C-alpha cells in the first residue's frame, strides 16, 4: 500500500509539474508577443557588488572546508561567546540575516552561512549533491570546524527544513533553536496531499521539478521576482544585493536543485519522537501573511518535537526576519532569554 501511494504521489507530482509549466510557458509567450523588443529574458550585467555588500558592518567574510566542499560565512561578535548559527532559505543567502547579525552579536558569536549552492559557497554539480542529508552533514561539520560541540540554531525556509532533520539526528548538539516558515519533511509530506491550503501554496514546488524553465522564469525581466518579493523588506540597494548574487551565471540552478533533489523523495525520515536525547527548547515562528506555508504546520510540528513553542507573528509575510526585523528580533530574544 505504501509503495502504491508513493507511486501515485510521484505521478501526481509530475502531472502538476507539466500543468504549471504549461501556464508559465503561456505567460512567457504572452511576454514575447506583447513585448517583442524588450529582451525580457536578459539579465543586466552587474560586474561589481552593490554598496550593501561592499561596505557594511554586518560582519567579516570567511571560508571553511567541510564535507568535501568550501562554505562561505559571515561572522560577527566575540568568538568566546556562545555560537549562534543562521541558516537561510530560498531564494536568499547570508545577507538575509543582516539585521540579526548586528542585533545578536552583542551576546553571541554569530555566524551566517551561505548554504552549499548559494552565494560564495561551492556549487557542486548534480542533483545527488543537494539531498537534505548533505546539508545536515554540512552543518554538523561546520559547527565542529568552528570548534564547538553545542550551539543555538536559527533557520528559515529551506534552512528550517534542513534544521528539523538536523534536530532529529543531532539534538545533543543544540542549546536552543528557532525555525521559521517551513515545516519538517515529515510534516510537509502529511500536509501537501491532504490539506488543500498547503497543496495550493506549494504550486511552485511542483513547477520547480521541470528542468531549466524555472531558472529562465526566475531570471525574466532582470530578476523582477526579487523586486516583487522584497519590495516591503529591502531598499533598492539591498534588492540589488540579491540580484547581484543570483544574477550570476548558473547561480539559480543549485538552489532550485534543493527542490528537485528532495521533493517526492521516498527516503525514510527520522521520527523525532524516537530519539533518546531530550528535546532542546525550540520556537517555530510563522508569518501571519505567509503565502507559502500553512498555519496547520505549527500544531503538527508540536506533536513531533517536545518542548516546542509555536507562534504566528502578526503583520509579516514569509520573509519575516527581513520584513519586520525589530519585531522578529524581539520575539527571538524573548524566547532565548526565557527559562
Amino acid at each position: 500500500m505504501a509503495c502504491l501511494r508513493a507511486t501515485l504521489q510521484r505521478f501526481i507530482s509530475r502531472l502538476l509539474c507539466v500543468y504549471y509549466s504549461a501556464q508559465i510557458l503561456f505567460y512567457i509567450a504572452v511576454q514575447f508577443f506583447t513585448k517583442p523588443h524588450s529582451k525580457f529574458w536578459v539579465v543586466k550585467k552587474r560586474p561589481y557588488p552593490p554598496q550593501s555588500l561592499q561596505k557594511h558592518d554586518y560582519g567579516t567574510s570567511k571560508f571553511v572546508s567541510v564535507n568535501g566542499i568550501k562554505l562561505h560565512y559571515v561572522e560577527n561578535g566575540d568568538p568566546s561567546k556562545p555560537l549562534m548559527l543562521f541558516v537561510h532559505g530560498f531564494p536568499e543567502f547570508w545577507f538575509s540575516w543582516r539585521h540579526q547579525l548586528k542585533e545578536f552579536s552583542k551576546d553571541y558569536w554569530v555566524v551566517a552561512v551561505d548554504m552549499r549552492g548559494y552565494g560564495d559557497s561551492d556549487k557542486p554539480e548534480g542533483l545527488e549533491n543537494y539531498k537534505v542529508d548533505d546539508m545536515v552533514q554540512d552543518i554538523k561539520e561546520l559547527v565542529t570546524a568552528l570548534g564547538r560541540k553545542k550551539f543555538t540554531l536559527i533557520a528559515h525556509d529551506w534552512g528550517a527544513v534542513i534544521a528539523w532533520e538536523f534536530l532529529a539526528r543531532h539534538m545533543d548538539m543544540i542549546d536552543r533553536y528557532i525555525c521559521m516558515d517551513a515545516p519538517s519533511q515529515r510534516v510537509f509530506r502529511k500536509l501537501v496531499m491532504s490539506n488543500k491550503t498547503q497543496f495550493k501554496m506549494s504550486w511552485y514546488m511542483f513547477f520547480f521539478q521541470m528542468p531549466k524553465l524555472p531558472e529562465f522564469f526566475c531570471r525574466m525581466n532582470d530578476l523582477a521576482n526579487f523586486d516583487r518579493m522584497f519590495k516591503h523588506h529591502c531598499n533598492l540597494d539591498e534588492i540589488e544585493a540579491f540580484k547581484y548574487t543570483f544574477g550570476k551565471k548558473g547561480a539559480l540552478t543549485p538552489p532550485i536543485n534543493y527542490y528537485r533533489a528532495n521533493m517526492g523523495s521516498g527516503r525514510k525520515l527520522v521520527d523525532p519522537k524516537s530519539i533518546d536525547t531530550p528535546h532542546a527548547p525550540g520556537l517555530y515562528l510563522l508569518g501571519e501573511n505567509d503565502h507559502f506555508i500553512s498555519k496547520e504546520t505549527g500544531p503538527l510540528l508540536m506533536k513531533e518535537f517536545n518542548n516546542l513553542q509555536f507562534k504566528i507573528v502578526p503583520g509579516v509575510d514569509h520573509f519575516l526576519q527581513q520584513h519586520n526585523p525589530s519585531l522578529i528580533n524581539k520575539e527571538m530574544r524573548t524566547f532565548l532569554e526565557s527559562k
Side-chain angles (χ1 to χ4, degrees):
M1 179 64 77
C3 182
L4 179 61
R5 187 184 301 112
T7 302
L8 181 60
Q9 287 180 348
R10 283 195 294 270
F11 174 75
I12 294 173
S13 177
R14 290 172 183 172
L15 192 64
L16 289 169
C17 173
V18 173
Y19 172 73
Y20 290 119
S21 295
Q23 290 189 321
I24 296 298
L25 282 170
F26 177 77
Y27 170 74
I28 292 172
V30 170
Q31 290 272 301
F32 181 79
F33 287 110
T34 58
K35 303 177 182 178
H37 305 296
S38 67
K39 293 187 177 180
F40 61 86
W41 58 88
V42 175
V43 173
K44 184 177 71 175
K45 291 184 179 180
R46 293 176 169 86
Y48 305 107
Q51 288 296 308
S52 54
L53 290 180
Q54 288 188 55
K55 298 179 180 179
H56 59 75
D57 55 356
Y58 304 129
T60 303
S61 285
K62 292 190 176 182
F63 292 87
V64 62
S65 293
V66 298
N67 199 20
I69 62 169
K70 183 175 67 176
L71 293 179
H72 168 256
Y73 64 93
V74 172
E75 66 165 18
N76 202 350
D78 186 346
S80 68
K81 292 183 176 181
L83 172 64
M84 177 182 284
L85 178 65
F86 294 95
V87 186
H88 65 80
F90 175 89
E92 300 173 289
F93 62 116
W94 74 263
F95 188 69
S96 62
W97 297 111
R98 59 196 179 280
H99 304 292
Q100 289 71 40
L101 283 170
K102 292 182 69 173
E103 171 66 23
F104 292 97
S105 63
K106 308 166 190 174
D107 308 293
Y108 294 86
W109 179 31
V110 290
V111 172
V113 62
D114 280 338
M115 296 299 287
R116 66 164 62 201
Y118 282 86
D120 291 324
S121 290
D122 280 352
K123 301 170 178 61
E125 295 183 1
L127 291 180
E128 69 277 6
N129 290 304
Y130 293 95
K131 299 285 188 181
V132 165
D133 294 350
D134 297 316
M135 280 74 82
V136 168
Q137 188 64 23
D138 289 349
I139 293 175
K140 184 176 185 294
E141 293 192 21
L142 171 60
V143 171
T144 302
L146 293 173
R148 298 303 173 92
K149 294 182 178 180
K150 294 183 77 75
F151 68 107
T152 295
L153 176 59
I154 314 293
H156 174 255
D157 187 77
W158 257 109
V161 175
I162 296 159
W164 294 118
E165 189 70 13
F166 184 93
L167 293 165
R169 301 186 194 186
H170 305 294
M171 187 68 79
D172 59 308
M173 295 181 67
I174 300 295
D175 283 320
R176 289 185 178 232
Y177 68 92
I178 302 173
C179 291
M180 306 177 187
D181 295 279
S184 66
Q185 287 183 292
R186 280 172 55 87
V187 166
F188 181 77
R189 285 181 185 179
K190 292 176 184 177
L191 274 181
V192 71
M193 291 300 180
S194 62
N195 181 278
K196 290 182 180 180
T197 301
Q198 186 60 64
F199 180 80
K200 292 177 181 177
M201 288 177 163
S202 303
W203 73 269
Y204 65 98
M205 300 184 191
F206 298 107
F207 168 57
F208 280 176
Q209 303 307 303
M210 182 65 69
K212 297 186 179 180
L213 183 59
E215 287 91 329
F216 182 88
F217 174 70
C218 290
R219 289 173 61 86
M220 283 176 58
N221 299 308
D222 193 32
L223 300 158
N225 280 317
F226 287 97
D227 297 305
R228 287 189 286 269
M229 282 187 296
F230 295 143
K231 63 183 178 181
H232 299 303
H233 313 75
C234 307
N235 60 39
L236 293 178
D237 192 75
E238 289 169 337
I239 291 175
E240 278 296 304
F242 286 95
K243 289 188 175 186
Y244 170 79
T245 299
F246 288 96
K248 296 175 182 178
K249 185 178 180 180
L252 281 163
T253 295
I256 294 175
N257 279 346
Y258 278 53
Y259 294 91
R260 293 171 177 146
N262 295 285
M263 188 172 176
S265 169
R267 182 178 63 87
K268 187 175 181 181
L269 301 170
V270 178
D271 183 353
K273 298 189 292 293
S274 69
I275 63 176
D276 297 328
T277 306
H279 289 203
L283 174 65
Y284 176 49
L285 296 177
L286 182 65
E288 179 185 25
N289 302 320
D290 194 315
H291 297 301
F292 306 107
I293 304 297
S294 71
K295 296 176 177 60
E296 287 83 357
T297 56
L300 288 174
L301 284 165
M302 292 177 73
K303 291 180 180 179
E304 299 229 323
F305 290 87
N306 301 327
N307 214 7
L308 175 65
Q309 301 175 35
F310 169 49
K311 185 163 187 178
I312 296 174
V313 185
V316 295
D317 62 18
H318 182 73
F319 301 97
L320 72 183
Q321 84 275 33
Q322 297 186 79
H323 194 176
N324 192 337
S326 59
L327 175 60
I328 297 307
N329 290 349
K330 181 180 178 181
E331 294 287 354
M332 290 175 60
R333 191 169 287 282
T334 298
F335 167 72
L336 292 168
E337 294 179 353
S338 64
K339 294 183 179 179

